[in-house]
Amino acid sequence: MLFLDFYVFYAASKVLQEGGNVYDPAQYRAAMILLGWPAEKVIMPFPYPPQALWLFYPLSFLGFDAACGVWSALSLLLLFAALRELPRLLGAGALHLSPARLGLALAAFVPLWKTVLFGQVTALLLFALCAALWAQARGRSFWTGAWLSITALK
């Protein structure tokens, strides 16, 4: 099923949008089914901390397909940006790839497509870690902590 993980965040955001409780199993299950999740499949309770919703809540104002498209594009952009800067942040300048080569490498990497097609938060977490490294290297401890706090989503 495409966007398997994204369903979880989007449904919880819809519950929140309606003023409900994302941790109420009945409300969360109803939102999942309303989105098209098969009623006969097991629906686990919302497993993430409340701060995970700040990112997905704005997407809940879009239709599900549009939100999936925005999240996929954002994930690809974050992955590209993180992987473009990661060698420099780690002091591995010899590993520098041109944008075209990096794009080709990403396109050929199957786990990347699983991350995007399942709607996972992996790209966001990698970007946050890279941003924290960048901030730490510049002595910006507040921003280092702010970027690292995003990793508490998982």
Side-chain angles (χ1 to χ4, degrees), residues 81-101:
L83 294 175
R84 176 106 168 105
E85 293 301 315
L86 193 57
R88 196 179 349 242
L89 291 169
L90 297 176
L95 296 176
H96 176 75
L97 292 174
S98 70
R101 286 186 178 175

Side-chain angles (χ1 to χ4, degrees), residues 22-65:
V22 299
Y23 298 104
D24 177 336
Q27 291 180 34
Y28 179 68
R29 178 179 174 74
M32 289 285 285
I33 291 169
L34 189 62
L35 286 173
W37 190 267
E40 67 277 0
K41 287 198 175 219
V42 173
I43 299 174
M44 302 297 291
F46 183 67
Y48 296 98
Q51 66 267 28
L53 293 171
W54 69 266
L55 178 68
F56 294 93
Y57 184 74
L59 294 175
S60 70
F61 290 94
L62 300 173
F64 183 72
D65 291 340

